[in-house]
């Protein structure tokens, strides 16, 4: 029990530090956009552009503004331009207590991700190196500046770090023992990752390739694409339709290789959430242009 008490104490220290920062840190620029998009997601109108984050980032916290009866984004001055940054700033960048309370409570769901990272570092470290080293690795995770600096904010950075770490762990366990249960866990980890950040989309191809390599091949060939596709639909509240021609025409300019255009256009005939497709196009175009805003 002592080893569990030690990791519990470490996570408690991390939680206290993150709670303090959530309460004390001022509003950051990206939080205004994420907040507005999350609120609109839970209002059933995820329509703001650019759609620069996948739906799970919105689903994580958008229920809190609804629960607290926050101001409706559609009633703000920035709504006419559909500018998520302006709308969020209009609601959150106020000196009154209600705005500070709204920001604090909306941040709270994101605190689970740095805590999960610390736990997973410890859990995986135990399997690789034993208890003493695992505890040290978890302590380094608690003290890691990015986790402490970004873990208390409304953004996708630390959640994406957890998604990538969980996928790596799930892929490692599946590689060692490729059975159906571990395949299922790896697919869940992959779905969570790609629904948090667009830059983690290559993990879907890594998951599919690893599943076909290690087997069971027939199950992998059918279950992996179907599970990932359904997870995207479910996270987007099943708001889906065939991709319009104007979006399909943007694929080539968004970095899709010419040899892949045919399969991509064929997939576009399936019902897809348009916000997800537009987000991919936005990310690919920025990535091809070498913009710093690629980190989505």
């Amino acid at each position: 029990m002592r080893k569990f008490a030690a990791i519990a104490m470490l996570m408690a220290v991390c939680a206290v530090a993150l709670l303090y920062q959530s309460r004390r840190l001022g509003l950051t620029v990206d939080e205004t956009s994420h907040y507005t998009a999350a609120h609109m997601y839970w209002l059933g109108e995820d329509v703001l552009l650019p759609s620069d984050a996948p739906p799970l980032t919105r689903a994580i916290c958008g229920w809190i503004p609804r629960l607290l009866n926050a101001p409706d984004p559609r009633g703000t001055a920035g709504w006419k331009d559909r500018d998520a940054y302006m709308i969020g700033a209009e609601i959150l960048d106020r000196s009154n207590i209600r705005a500070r309370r709204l920001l604090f409570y909306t941040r709270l769901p994101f605190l689970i991700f740095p805590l999960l990272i610390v736990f997973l570092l410890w859990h995986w470290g135990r399997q690789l190196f034993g208890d003493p080293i695992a505890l040290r690795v978890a302590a380094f995770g608690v003290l890691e500046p990015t986790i402490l600096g970004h873990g208390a904010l409304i953004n996708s950075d630390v959640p994406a770090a957890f998604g990538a770490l969980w996928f790596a762990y799930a892929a490692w366990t599946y590689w060692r023992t490729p059975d159906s249960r571990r395949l299922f866990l790896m697919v869940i980890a992959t779905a969570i990752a790609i629904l948090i950040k667009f830059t983690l989309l290559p993990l879907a191809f890594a998951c599919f390739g690893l599943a076909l390599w290690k087997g069971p091949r027939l199950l992998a060939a059918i279950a992996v694409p179907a599970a990932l596709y359904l997870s995207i639909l479910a996270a987007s509240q099943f708001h889906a339709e065939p991709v319009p021609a104007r979006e399909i025409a943007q694929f080539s300019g968004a970095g899709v290789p010419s040899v892949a255009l045919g399969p991509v256009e064929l997939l576009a005939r399936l019902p897809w959430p348009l916000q997800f497709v537009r987000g991919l196009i936005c990310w690919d175009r920025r990535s091809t242009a070498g913009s710093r805003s690629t980190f989505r």
Side-chain angles (χ1 to χ4, degrees), residues 36 39-40 61 121 178 206 212 218 242 263 269:
T36 308
H39 194 178
M40 291 305 302
C61 67
L121 288 172
L212 287 181
L218 180 60
R269 297 181 182 180

Side-chain angles (χ1 to χ4, degrees), residues 31-41 48 73 83-85 87-89:
E31 286 185 293
T32 59
S33 174
H34 285 304
Y35 166 85
T36 308
H39 194 178
M40 291 305 302
Y41 173 91
L48 299 178
D83 189 325
Y85 288 95
I87 296 169

